Amino acid sequence: MVRKELTPPEIYKLLPKTNCGECGVPTCMAFAFKVARGKASPVECPYLSEEASAKLLEETAPPIAKIVISSRGKKVEIGGERVSFRHEDKFFNETALALELNDKMSENKIKHLLERVKKFKVERMGQTLRLNLLALKSCTGNPEIFRETVMKVRENTDLPLILCSFNPQVMMRGLEEIQGEKPLIFSADKRNLLQMSTLARRFKCPIAVHSEDSMSTMIQIIKRLKGMGIRDIVLSPPVRHLKEAVSNLTIIRRTAIDKGFNILGYPTITFSSAFNGIGGKEIWETILASTFILRYASIVIFKNLEEHNVLPILALRQAIYTDPRAPLQVKPGLYAIGNPGEESPVLLTTNYSLTYQLVSEDIKNAGLNCYLLVVNTDGLSVVCSVAGDKLKPERIAETIKETSLEEKVNHRKLVIPGRAARLRVKIEDETGWEVEIGPLDSREIKGFFKR
Amino acid sequence: MDELPLPVEEYSGKVAEVKIGATRNEGGTRDFALVIGGDRVLPFYFFEGSNPNPPVIALEVYDSHESLPRPVKAFYSDELVENPVEWSRYVVEKLGAKMLNVKLVSVYPETRDEEPRKAAELVEEILQEVKVPLMVSGIEELWGPREVKKNMETLCEVAERTSGERVLLNPVTLDAYETVARSCIEHRHCLIAKTNMDVSQAIKLNGLLLDRGLTPERIVIDVTTGPLGYGIEYTYSTMERLRLRALKGDKSVQCPLVMFPSESWSAREISEKKGIDEMEKLGVAFEVVTAVTGILSGGNLLSILHPKTLNVVREFINEFLGQPRISINLKEWMKNAEW
């Protein structure tokens, strides 16, 4: 990273050094570390002088600004990013997925779609994956019809909105209908800049900047907005085809972060349904959305709600925005599945969330009553922990002790995953238990116990 | 006019070019050879420069079809998948595959436990029937010493019988690399160095292979593919880190990267689907997204299972090469009420 950032001692100097603990951490030094890592905002310190606060906010702000889009009940944060590669730290705010609606749709159609959005959720690895925003566009160009559609949408959902029109009159009527909320205005461009920016200031909303064909036009518009004191900006760079989209999204992220060019330090908005010229539209919407997610897009707008289109996008987003140093984990320990007694089998697995989820589901599906011994592998799967020497026999022995497993069952037989077969003897030596090699795939647990 | 400081990096390193397949002039019998790698910049960093060779796709054929996902079997027909030679001919002649990954799954000790000799004979037959470059896969999931040994025997047998064809042998791991490396050099092939989603392991194995006299022009790195929803983030970041290291000048990892989107078919979400059409749609979508992720993290070679994925991924790659077919227009999008 080229951008110079304040170190924890430098931040500490500006803090009150009273260790009052009101910010939630016990010492000012600990708070300084949190601020330096971007985990806390300076304003969480109640005793910070105004001068120090301004300096800290300025100097510790992430190179990609954090922007909030909100309704009365919900808010979505985008941007706030500090690195270009997730292995350098992590990505902070996951790409917001927005379903596209328009003002030519009937009330029934809108209701029906919003009902589907409400029901649409996927449980994966202990997280609930959902859609985050609605993008409502004015196809008619008629301000009154747009206002009515905003009203109808708002009657049926509390999701934050992106209002889409290049016509300031249309935009104004939409904004008036949901005054007090912070929808995203899409979009200012070089023609409507003055009127759209006036609306952004009047309604205190974030505003997107679009340039069809030129990055430098976009930069000029951003400068004008900043000159007017507008800070909540989202970028819609030229994306006439995939190649240009990938280039420009990368340029924005990397110039802002690695070259310290703060004029481009804003989140981006992309459109995976706005393309023409190729067959198989459904799969291409998924491809565009995936490409945008992988190239830093903060918002992706799409319109296809079929499972085979949305599920891959949700799974990809979840993966890319997982903290690389802290994989999704479950607590190590002993888990009772079904109604185990002292004769019930004991199975072993690792504490990677996905591994635990799959194995426990498979045991349930097998109708088995058993104990599942979950060993701490720092959140690695069976295959990775065996290869990386993270599934340690000593740790297995410790976990057996800590969970008082030997008092719960009257046998000493441990079933380990087939992929951990090579650890058998070491585990037996370390625990004193007899080890039996289970199936390679937990889906075969049912068949394994039938034998 | 505002100067936009393009985020251009000056890299000192360059990824080696690996040539797969030997033509008649080169001591083999292939109609053409494929070159992968040679990267000087990150994938699709057009503002920085361009890479010489687009990603190559290998389509998979199996020597025994029991473990094939239903939609794949249905696409080809039962008759075809029972005859790997005909199947290979079909994917080259009818589907236009430029490379095959012949998976010798019959040698797995847990299932058919077929003799390496028999599996290698099939590879010879396929080499006679089709003239595209080949990857040949032995046992990819090496969870025990039996598998490690059998894989080594299989790959050596294949190497010997296909001497001079510059086949890409898959996989060679830290468990057993010496024998295959030697055989690979002797019979003028190239190999895939497979480690487990870990940068330092990849560096270690590559170092050992280079020490044994393999040149970077004979090594392709596989960091293990965690498919979409099943650890793709590990694969993605490990590939990105290795590629950055290579470009920054670390000579021990300046080799092309291979990725296996075909692994996506093991996702539960797919096998839980009831109808075969639903399975296919979801499976192809998972495989495509895994492939896109692989390409954007630096993948030079992709091994793909479903022909529909092959078509779409080929089109995706083409969008970056010549005249793009897809146009995105937000002014039009704004007016378009079609749903």
Side-chain angles (χ1 to χ4, degrees):
Chain A
M1 271 173 286
V2 172
R3 219 178 89 101
K4 195 187 163 300
E5 284 183 355
L6 285 186
T7 62
E10 284 169 329
I11 296 168
Y12 179 73
K13 274 186 205 152
L14 298 167
L15 298 176
K17 307 182 199 63
T18 52
N19 298 335
C20 71
E22 285 180 45
C23 61
V25 280
T27 66
C28 291
M29 194 45 130
F31 182 67
F33 268 94
K34 270 183 90 174
V35 173
R37 283 271 297 108
K39 300 245 176 200
S41 163
V43 296
E44 288 169 42
C45 171
Y47 303 105
L48 201 59
S49 74
E50 229 168 80
E51 196 190 332
S53 169
K55 184 172 160 62
L56 276 177
L57 275 179
E58 172 76 27
E59 306 243 344
T60 61
I64 304 287
K66 182 155 88 181
I67 307 292
V68 176
I69 303 170
S70 65
S71 59
R72 291 200 185 276
K74 286 198 163 86
K75 71 170 182 178
V76 172
E77 292 179 345
I78 54 171
E81 301 297 342
R82 293 174 181 274
V83 292
S84 297
F85 298 100
R86 58 188 289 282
H87 64 257
E88 293 174 331
D89 185 9
K90 66 165 186 168
F91 294 166
F92 286 81
N93 290 298
E94 63 177 21
T95 310
L97 295 176
L99 181 75
E100 168 187 335
L101 303 170
N102 69 61
D103 67 353
K104 279 189 177 167
M105 288 176 168
S106 69
E107 190 166 352
N108 273 342
K109 172 103 187 167
I110 288 175
K111 269 191 180 162
H112 169 72
L113 282 171
L114 292 176
E115 202 48 47
R116 281 184 70 187
V117 170
K118 201 182 279 178
K119 282 195 205 132
F120 195 95
K121 57 173 181 177
V122 177
E123 304 286 342
R124 283 195 110 249
M125 301 166 79
Q127 295 185 334
T128 307
L129 315 183
R130 291 175 191 277
L131 311 183
N132 317 89
L133 295 166
L134 295 170
L136 178 55
K137 64 180 182 183
S138 163
C139 292
T140 62
N142 179 318
E144 204 42 45
I145 294 176
F146 191 60
R147 188 193 63 76
E148 277 170 28
T149 316
V150 172
M151 187 181 74
K152 278 181 231 158
V153 169
R154 193 34 94 223
E155 279 167 6
N156 290 289
T157 175
D158 64 347
L159 284 179
L161 301 181
I162 303 170
L163 301 182
C164 307
S165 173
F166 290 109
N167 178 336
Q169 271 73 45
V170 171
M171 187 59 66
M172 185 171 76
R173 297 297 279 149
L175 289 165
E176 280 171 354
E177 185 59 37
I178 49 170
Q179 204 148 6
E181 299 188 16
K182 287 186 187 302
L184 173 64
I185 296 174
F186 184 88
S187 174
D189 63 9
K190 62 183 175 203
R191 279 174 288 273
N192 67 24
L193 171 64
L194 215 58
Q195 290 154 295
M196 281 293 190
S197 56
T198 308
L199 292 173
R201 277 197 296 188
R202 185 175 141 206
F203 290 93
K204 299 186 174 56
C205 291
I207 182 167
V209 173
H210 176 61
S211 172
E212 232 168 298
D213 49 13
S214 142
M215 286 285 267
S216 58
T217 305
M218 193 179 73
I219 289 172
Q220 277 159 21
I221 302 175
I222 299 165
K223 284 193 161 169
R224 297 271 300 275
L225 290 177
K226 285 178 85 163
M228 289 180 236
I230 292 175
R231 286 174 181 280
D232 291 347
I233 299 169
V234 174
L235 308 182
S236 170
V239 287
R240 285 165 294 186
H241 26 259
L242 204 50
K243 187 171 168 177
E244 185 176 60
V246 164
S247 267
N248 284 339
L249 289 168
T250 312
I251 287 172
I252 288 172
R253 179 66 159 248
R254 298 214 57 191
T255 43
I257 290 181
D258 304 300
K259 299 287 166 197
F261 186 64
N262 63 12
I263 297 170
L264 289 179
Y266 297 99
T268 49
I269 181 169
T270 59
F271 301 77
S272 61
S273 51
F275 66 92
N276 277 306
I278 201 153
K281 288 232 165 189
E282 290 184 6
I283 188 100
W284 275 95
E285 205 178 303
T286 307
I287 294 175
L288 292 191
S290 307
T291 308
F292 297 153
I293 288 172
L294 290 163
R295 284 297 176 261
Y296 314 119
S298 314
I299 299 174
V300 171
I301 295 178
F302 68 98
K303 67 179 176 190
N304 209 311
L305 268 179
E306 295 304 319
E307 188 192 12
H308 56 265
N309 292 103
V310 187
L311 185 59
I313 300 170
L314 289 171
L316 181 66
R317 176 181 71 170
Q318 181 183 36
I320 296 302
Y321 282 85
T322 304
D323 186 343
R325 289 151 316 171
L328 296 173
Q329 306 181 22
V330 291
K331 225 178 130 211
L334 191 66
Y335 291 78
I337 307 213
N339 247 328
E342 51 182 25
E343 315 243 317
S344 300
V346 180
L347 280 68
L348 177 117
T349 195
T350 75
N351 78 323
Y352 180 38
S353 232
L354 183 64
T355 305
Y356 171 78
Q357 185 193 317
L358 297 176
V359 174
S360 58
E361 263 173 34
D362 287 328
I363 298 176
K364 272 178 214 153
N365 291 341
L368 210 60
N369 294 313
C370 77
Y371 286 108
L372 185 58
L373 189 69
V374 177
V375 178
N376 189 356
T377 54
D378 299 335
L380 290 185
S381 67
V382 174
V383 172
C384 288
S385 61
V386 171
D389 198 21
K390 291 276 188 184
L391 181 59
K392 294 196 186 302
E394 312 88 75
R395 214 177 261 172
I396 298 172
E398 280 165 31
T399 316
I400 290 178
K401 282 224 171 61
E402 283 160 13
T403 56
S404 314
L405 177 58
E406 301 200 334
E407 291 158 33
K408 293 190 172 92
V409 291
N410 61 11
H411 63 85
R412 297 289 179 264
K413 205 185 251 177
L414 185 63
V415 182
I416 68 169
R419 278 157 213 252
R422 61 171 67 177
L423 298 176
R424 174 188 197 154
V425 179
K426 277 190 202 153
I427 297 174
E428 287 186 335
D429 289 350
E430 205 62 51
T431 60
W433 283 49
E434 182 189 332
V435 168
E436 193 174 345
I437 312 286
L440 294 166
D441 185 326
S442 63
R443 275 178 280 202
E444 288 147 28
I445 284 178
K446 191 174 184 176
F448 178 80
F449 279 98
K450 264 190 189 156
R451 288 208 301 262
Chain B
M1 173 68 197
D2 287 279
E3 247 343 279
L4 174 65
L6 288 175
V8 175
E9 308 286 335
E10 293 290 330
Y11 292 116
S12 60
K14 171 180 178 272
V15 174
E17 288 188 330
V18 171
K19 196 193 248 186
I20 306 163
T23 60
R24 282 168 202 89
N25 295 336
E26 298 162 323
T29 61
R30 305 298 85 201
D31 282 347
F32 57 89
L34 289 165
V35 178
I36 58 170
D39 302 46
R40 295 168 177 279
V41 296
L42 291 174
F44 305 145
Y45 270 48
F46 301 105
F47 48 87
E48 204 168 71
S50 63
N51 290 324
N53 304 300
V56 166
I57 306 172
L59 199 61
E60 297 184 352
V61 292
Y62 285 49
D63 71 344
S64 82
H65 58 83
E66 289 85 356
S67 58
L68 272 183
R70 277 167 53 209
V72 177
K73 220 184 255 191
F75 181 94
Y76 286 120
S77 85
D78 287 348
E79 218 180 4
L80 199 57
V81 297
E82 275 164 22
N83 186 339
V85 177
E86 280 307 307
W87 183 7
S88 302
R89 206 212 304 263
Y90 179 86
V91 304
V92 173
E93 287 172 8
K94 295 286 192 290
L95 306 177
K98 293 278 180 285
M99 181 173 169
L100 295 187
N101 175 7
V102 180
K103 297 196 20 149
L104 304 177
V105 292
S106 68
V107 301
Y108 274 71
E110 283 286 330
T111 52
R112 284 215 202 166
D113 203 16
E114 193 63 79
E115 287 294 315
R117 182 187 49 80
K118 193 125 185 265
E121 278 171 11
L122 173 69
V123 178
E124 282 180 289
E125 261 183 83
I126 292 175
L127 279 170
Q128 278 171 13
E129 287 301 317
V130 302
K131 297 298 171 192
V132 301
L134 293 196
M135 177 196 315
V136 176
S137 299
I139 300 179
E140 291 170 275
E141 300 196 62
L142 299 158
W143 42 73
R146 268 202 310 167
E147 284 82 4
V148 170
K149 183 160 171 279
K150 189 75 183 285
N151 178 54
M152 191 183 74
E153 291 165 0
T154 307
L155 294 186
C156 287
E157 184 77 30
V158 170
E160 211 182 305
R161 284 169 181 264
T162 61
S163 191
E165 290 283 8
R166 221 179 167 100
V167 167
L168 181 59
L169 303 167
N170 174 50
V172 173
T173 65
L174 280 164
D175 294 309
Y177 56 89
E178 293 222 49
T179 323
V180 187
R182 216 179 305 125
S183 180
C184 180
I185 296 171
E186 190 188 337
H187 298 289
R188 304 182 302 285
H189 297 302
C190 34
L191 58 77
I192 289 179
K194 179 179 183 173
T195 46
N196 229 310
M197 303 192 194
D198 185 291
V199 172
S200 50
Q201 277 190 33
I203 295 169
K204 186 175 167 193
L205 178 56
N206 253 46
L208 291 166
L209 291 170
L210 294 169
D211 281 351
R212 296 300 178 282
L214 270 167
T215 56
E217 287 74 25
R218 301 234 175 225
I219 305 172
V220 178
I221 298 175
D222 174 19
V223 304
T224 300
T225 300
L228 177 64
Y230 296 83
I232 198 169
E233 63 273 29
Y234 293 97
T235 305
Y236 181 73
S237 286
T238 311
M239 287 171 69
E240 267 194 346
R241 289 175 65 190
L242 281 174
R243 178 52 47 83
L244 280 166
R245 275 189 91 102
L247 295 177
K248 285 176 181 166
D250 182 343
K251 292 207 179 322
S252 68
V253 290
Q254 289 172 340
C255 299
L257 297 164
V258 60
M259 208 240 194
F260 294 80
S262 54
E263 291 288 320
S264 311
W265 288 91
S266 63
R268 301 212 171 194
E269 287 87 345
I270 302 167
S271 54
E272 279 163 7
K273 287 272 161 266
K274 296 210 171 57
I276 201 155
D277 285 350
E278 277 186 298
M279 254 175 139
E280 180 181 280
K281 271 187 182 164
L282 195 60
V284 168
F286 267 59
E287 195 176 21
V288 166
V289 172
T290 304
V292 166
T293 309
I295 291 171
L296 288 173
S297 54
N300 303 99
L301 174 62
L302 302 154
S303 183
I304 277 173
L305 183 51
H306 202 296
K308 287 189 177 169
T309 312
L310 170 80
N311 285 333
V312 178
V313 176
R314 209 148 45 182
E315 286 178 320
F316 175 77
I317 295 168
N318 285 339
E319 282 302 299
F320 297 94
L321 299 180
Q323 194 59 36
R325 288 172 67 202
I326 294 181
S327 64
I328 303 173
N329 184 327
L330 295 187
K331 293 263 149 72
E332 258 175 44
W333 169 81
M334 195 69 93
K335 291 184 214 130
N336 183 6
E338 178 197 316
W339 230 82

